[in-house]
Each structure stands twice: as C-alpha cells, then as structure tokens.
Amino acid sequence: MEKNLKNRIFKYLITSVILLALSAYLIYHMLFSSSDQIVTEIAYPVTEEISLSCDAYIMKNEYVINAGSAGVSAAYYFDDGTKIPKNALIASLYADESETRGSTLIDIDKKIDFLEKSNIDKTYLTSDTSTVDSRLTDIYYTIRQGLEGTNITGAISSSDDLLTLLNRRMVITGEINNFDTQIELLENERRKYANSLGNATSNIYSDRSGYFYSECDGYENIFTADKALQMSYDDFIGYTKKSPEITSEHTIGKIAYDYRWYLACDVSKSDLKNYSAGTNYDIIFESNSNKQLTLKLVKTIADTNSDGALLIFESFDSPRDFSFSRVQTVRIIKSSVSGIKVPVAALRVIDGQTGVYILYGSKVYFCTLDILAQNENYYIAAVPDLTKTPYGVLYIYDNIIVSGKDLYEGKVIN
C-alpha cells in the first residue's frame, strides 16, 4: 500500500516538473519570440541601365513623289519601308477612287514572294535538315525575345521567316515536292485582278533608288539630313515651330534616297557631359515598340542663351520593321551597372562600415558592401572577388535581412 502511494507521488512529481518546464517554454516564446521575427530577401544579381529620356526628331533626305494630277487613286507595288531600285514601277494611277486595289496587288505579290522563298534549290541536300532546324531554333527564340520585349513588329517580321523555313523543311523531308502549283495559281489571280482594274491613266517610276513610303508628313523639306550637322540650336527650335508644308493632293509618297539619317535629341546642357562625340550608343525608341538601335553620336550643340542643347546621332541602318515617324520618345543608354540587388531598408551603418545583416543557417552575420548605384527601391552593390575577400562581404544569393529587431553579429535566430 505504502509502496503504491510512493509510486503515485513520484509520478505526480515527474508529471508536474514536465508540465512546469513546458509552461515555461511556452511562456518564454510567447514573450520573447517576437524579437526573432525577421524578413529576408535573396541577394539576386541585377543590371541597371543609366539612361536619358527625351524627344527626338528624325532628319532624312527625302524626295516627294507627285502624281501629276488630282482626283486619282494609286495602286502601289511596294510596302512602306521597302528598298527599291532606280526606275522601279512604284504605282499605277487610275481615274476612279478605289482604296483597295493597291493593297490587294501588294498582298498577292507578298504571297508569291513568300512561296518562292519557300522553294529550295535542286542542289540542296534534301537528306540534311540540321541547317534548317538550327535556323528554326534561332528564329523561335528571336520571336520570344521580341514578344517579351514588346517588339511586336519585329516578332511579326521574324514569324514570316519562321513560316518560310517550315515550308522548306516540308520540301526537304518529302512532305511536298514544291510550291510551284500554288505560285502559278497566285500569278493567275494577280493577272485577272490587274486586268479588272482597267487601263491606268499613268504609271509612276522611281527616278532614284532608296526606301519607299506612301505617306508624307509635310516636313520632308524641313528636317533634312543635310541640315542636321549645320543647324544651330535656334535653327532647330525654329524647325519644330514650323507648320508642316501642305501636302499636295497630287502627292502619292516619298523616297528616302540617302541611306544616312540623323536623330536630333533635345536635351539640356548638363546632359552633354555624360556623352562623348564619336561614341556609339544604344537608343531605345519607346514609341516604336521599344525597338533598340545603335547610333553614333557625331555632334553636340549647345545654345548660348539658354539651357537647351542637342545630341546629334547618325545612322546608316534602316530596319524593315522600324517606323520613321518624325518625332519619337527615345531613351539613350549611357551605360549599365551590374551588381547585387540590395533593398533600401536593409542597409545599415555599423561602426562606420556600410553593410547589411544576413542570415546564414540560424545565425546573423554583418557583411560590408560597396554601393555602385541606387534608385528608389534598391541599391546596387559591387560583386566582390572572393579570392581576395572571402569573408565578411555581401555576395550573390546571400540571405539579406530586410527587417528584424535587436540584430547583432552572432545572434542566433530560433
């Protein structure tokens, strides 16, 4: 009896001790665990562009094409931006006002050209598809990149190349012999349509080679390439204030006959120190599907009476999928900075050293860093050379502590 009582008392004491220990543990965490609550963020690599946004004016040497008489409609044979040779048939003029004839002829010609490119030469190694497959892969990723970068026009242009190669692959693998039958049907369709138009009152031929455009904006004789390197800042402002020259009802288009063109960027004098003449710069045309071109800075112009200035860029490149609208918003990339992304809230100064706390395992460490650049949301820190400074500096993929209480070197986070 007495032995059973002692056993019960012993069990009671053991149970009480365990309950007290558990209660103390729970009370401790209820009271103090909040101080260990932290927020972390991975130190990812980042690249930040240093750029300048401004309005830019395209200056080209352009020849305006006149129809010679009013009240006619034009059947065009070339798309805008097409490179044409001298003496090329640009358009046929008709007395009536048909708006669809031009686009229909161009559409049929496009289809014929597409199928002709899809055919392969008889000497082509039909047993080898590796070259076509490799090119298909390249174009696929080009289209993806264009869509991700909002360059829709570029992606559409590349999609035509993709379809052409897919057709060629069908010929190589024997799924189809060629596209001669389809081409012949389209040529018959074109002849029938051309005959239905009746007799043209006249034909318009190019008297020089260049890039053809069916629209004129009235500034062809104002913003010319010849003026770009000769004008003063006051001249430029005067050009921008001019009203467009009245586009004659006889006008049916223009030819950019000089492959050279200029981009005049309206900036401030303080911006000039960041750019050097003779240097190539990447320029993003934001209103042009974010198309990026590389242009050479050939001249800087500063106004003597104001803060106004110009950056004059030169180019000989005329991409097919690029819109040469006269005025565009551009972003001139001066340089780029690559490093480690550090949230603004994480930065601390401890004993005169700039750095951040990181969490490694369950322990807190302080790591110094070298700030290269910053914006509203984060700093960019230099990536250190671990062979020279292996410890105590922030490195890529460290776990940065963005917020937390009572942090110090060596603290253990439960």
Side-chain angles (χ1 to χ4, degrees):
M1 180 74 176
E2 184 178 351
K3 184 178 180 180
N4 290 336
L5 179 60
K6 289 181 179 179
N7 288 337
R8 284 198 297 271
I9 293 173
F10 179 74
K11 290 180 181 179
Y12 173 77
L13 291 173
I14 294 298
T15 304
S16 298
V17 170
I18 293 174
L19 289 174
L20 286 171
L22 181 60
S23 298
Y25 178 81
L26 292 173
I27 292 171
Y28 171 81
H29 280 278
M30 289 176 64
L31 293 176
F32 301 106
S33 63
S34 60
S35 65
D36 285 348
Q37 291 182 355
I38 61 173
V39 176
T40 63
E41 183 174 315
I42 300 298
Y44 287 115
V46 65
T47 298
E48 182 83 4
E49 292 177 345
I50 300 175
S51 61
L52 170 66
S53 293
C54 61
D55 289 333
Y57 291 73
I58 289 179
M59 306 183 71
K60 306 176 69 178
N61 286 333
E62 298 167 313
Y63 167 73
V64 176
I65 305 168
N66 290 312
S69 60
V72 297
S73 62
Y76 294 101
Y77 296 100
F78 296 100
D79 270 341
D80 284 356
T82 303
K83 184 179 179 181
I84 62 174
K86 183 179 179 180
N87 298 323
L89 175 60
I90 299 173
S92 295
L93 304 183
Y94 296 85
D96 62 319
E97 296 294 334
S98 172
E99 296 181 356
T100 59
R101 64 171 85 248
S103 60
T104 303
L105 287 173
I106 292 174
D107 289 342
I108 297 175
D109 286 340
K110 277 184 179 178
K111 292 176 182 177
I112 293 174
D113 183 61
F114 170 70
L115 291 178
E116 286 178 342
K117 290 179 179 178
S118 296
N119 273 337
I120 61 173
D121 189 87
K122 293 181 180 179
T123 60
Y124 199 95
L125 294 177
T126 56
S127 61
D128 182 14
T129 61
S130 59
T131 302
V132 173
D133 288 344
S134 176
R135 181 62 181 144
L136 283 170
T137 301
D138 292 341
I139 294 178
Y140 167 75
Y141 283 108
T142 298
I143 293 175
R144 279 192 56 180
Q145 184 178 7
L147 294 175
E148 291 169 359
T150 69
N151 183 12
I152 306 300
T153 55
I156 293 173
S157 177
S158 296
S159 67
D160 292 339
D161 294 334
L162 181 68
L163 292 175
T164 299
L165 286 173
L166 286 172
N167 282 344
R168 285 186 179 181
R169 197 180 193 285
M170 291 173 63
V171 177
I172 293 172
T173 57
E175 296 179 54
I176 186 172
N177 290 329
N178 54 54
F179 294 94
D180 293 346
T181 301
Q182 291 88 333
I183 292 173
E184 184 178 355
L185 290 173
L186 286 170
E187 288 176 340
N188 289 334
E189 180 184 347
R190 192 189 191 287
R191 281 192 291 270
K192 289 180 182 178
Y193 183 77
N195 291 334
S196 70
L197 297 178
N199 295 324
T201 58
S202 61
N203 292 319
I204 304 297
Y205 294 88
S206 60
D207 65 349
R208 63 193 75 185
S209 62
Y211 293 90
F212 171 74
Y213 300 91
S214 60
E215 298 292 334
C216 298
D217 63 5
Y219 288 98
E220 285 76 17
N221 295 319
I222 299 174
F223 287 99
T224 68
D226 291 337
K227 295 177 181 177
L229 300 180
Q230 306 299 325
M231 65 182 178
S232 66
Y233 185 80
D234 286 339
D235 291 334
F236 169 77
I237 295 300
Y239 299 154
T240 64
K241 291 181 178 180
K242 282 188 176 183
S243 298
E245 297 175 349
I246 298 175
T247 302
S248 170
E249 60 182 347
H250 300 172
T251 299
I252 64 167
K254 62 185 177 184
I255 296 176
Y257 59 87
D258 192 340
Y259 299 113
R260 167 194 57 145
W261 59 276
Y262 294 92
L263 190 73
C265 299
D266 193 5
V267 298
S268 64
K269 282 183 181 177
S270 59
D271 295 318
L272 296 183
K273 66 180 183 294
N274 296 320
Y275 298 90
S276 302
T279 303
N280 291 330
Y281 292 93
D282 290 330
I283 300 180
I284 297 174
F285 293 77
E286 295 181 346
S287 53
N288 205 334
S289 301
N290 285 325
K291 180 70 176 178
Q292 181 172 311
L293 300 179
T294 301
L295 281 73
K296 182 180 181 179
L297 179 62
V298 292
K299 188 175 183 180
T300 60
I301 302 171
D303 186 27
T304 56
N305 301 316
S306 71
D307 188 45
L310 295 174
L311 295 172
I312 308 296
F313 293 90
E314 182 182 61
S315 177
F316 293 88
D317 186 20
S318 297
R320 183 70 179 272
D321 58 345
F322 184 78
S323 170
F324 281 93
S325 299
R326 188 69 61 184
V327 186
Q328 303 194 28
T329 301
V330 302
R331 188 153 48 89
I332 308 167
I333 300 175
K334 175 182 177 290
S335 60
S336 62
V337 177
S338 297
I340 306 172
K341 181 179 179 181
V342 178
V344 171
L347 197 70
R348 302 169 186 268
V349 179
I350 307 297
D351 296 331
Q353 290 187 310
T354 301
V356 294
Y357 283 115
I358 69 166
L359 184 64
Y360 187 77
S362 61
K363 202 169 184 178
V364 175
Y365 295 91
F366 181 74
C367 292
T368 60
L369 51 81
D370 180 18
I371 297 176
L372 301 176
Q374 71 176 94
N375 57 31
E376 295 180 357
N377 302 314
Y378 58 85
Y379 297 99
I380 298 178
V383 178
D385 183 352
L386 290 188
T387 61
K388 298 179 181 179
T389 53
Y391 303 107
V393 293
L394 181 68
Y395 199 66
I396 296 173
Y397 304 123
D398 278 343
N399 202 13
I400 299 174
I401 297 177
V402 179
S403 64
K405 295 181 179 179
D406 302 322
L407 296 175
Y408 55 86
E409 176 86 15
K411 180 177 181 178
V412 177
I413 304 297
N414 293 315

